Structure formats: C-alpha cells, structure tokens
Amino acid sequence: MTEGLSLVIDHAFNEMKLHRLEANIQPENEKSIRLVQRLGFVKEGYSRAYLRIGDEWKDHERWAVLCDDWLARRGRRYEEDVLFNSLEKYLISEHKKEEKFYEEEVG
C-alpha cells in the first residue's frame, strides 16, 4: 500500500503539478493514519462531524503533505524535477526528429 500510494503522490506532484495533498481520515482508522505518517503527511487538524457516513456524522483528522516537503524527503527539489522533465522531453523530441530524418534520407 505504501509503494502504491507513493507512486500516486509522485504523479500528483511531478506530472499534475499539484502543490499539496490532503487526507481526511477517521481517528479510529489507525492503519491509514500510520500509512500517511510513513509517507510524510503532517496532521493539521481535527474536523468534528466532517462527513456523513451512513446515518451518522463522523469526525476526521486532516493530514497533508506539500510538494516541496515530499520532494525534499526524496532528495529532490521541485525546480530540479521541472528542469529534468523539460530536458527529458527535449531529448526525446530531438531523438524522434533524428529518427524521422534517417527514415526519410536513408530508408
């Protein structure tokens, strides 16, 4: 579960360019709380009667992680990721141009 959610968070920050993610978890859901703690989420608050589930309103803890904090935990900064992604896209584009040139000229 940790690895899967980690991939989703990477996608949210690196590909979708989101700034923050939140998780609202019922206080008795200890496994989910441990999961977000392992992934670097910080408890930001407690919302009484946050969501109606079935016939009753349930309290939730609010956990969040910021993009910069997420990337810092992995030894990267947001700007470095943006630069790397741009460079990678450029190199792929140039490679495709080369392939097309050789197909037209040689092939």
Side-chain angles (χ1 to χ4, degrees):
M1 186 61 109
T2 303
E3 185 178 339
L5 185 54
S6 181
L7 291 171
V8 170
I9 295 169
D10 274 336
H11 180 77
F13 288 141
N14 292 318
E15 301 302 320
M16 299 176 69
K17 307 301 182 206
L18 297 180
H19 170 66
R20 74 183 264 123
L21 295 174
E22 289 186 12
N24 291 287
I25 305 169
Q26 293 178 44
E28 61 274 6
N29 189 342
E30 296 173 6
K31 288 184 179 182
S32 291
I33 291 171
R34 283 195 305 274
L35 173 63
V36 296
Q37 285 175 326
R38 275 195 306 274
L39 292 170
F41 281 65
V42 175
K43 184 177 177 182
E44 292 188 336
Y46 189 90
S47 300
R48 296 177 25 227
Y50 175 76
L51 186 64
R52 188 178 185 96
I53 299 175
D55 289 335
E56 67 180 293
W57 289 96
K58 297 284 190 171
D59 299 345
H60 282 70
E61 293 181 3
R62 186 175 55 259
W63 293 78
V65 63
L66 301 177
C67 179
D68 288 341
D69 294 341
W70 175 258
L71 296 175
R73 284 174 57 91
R74 283 157 174 65
R76 302 175 301 191
R77 288 181 27 241
Y78 176 77
E79 294 82 11
E80 291 170 341
D81 278 358
V82 169
L83 178 61
F84 176 80
N85 288 338
S86 296
L87 178 59
E88 183 180 40
K89 286 177 184 175
Y90 171 77
L91 292 173
I92 290 170
S93 169
E94 289 300 305
H95 180 71
K96 287 180 180 178
K97 287 178 190 175
E98 263 184 31
E99 284 181 336
K100 185 177 179 182
F101 172 79
Y102 284 114
E103 285 176 9
E104 291 172 356
E105 295 295 317
V106 179

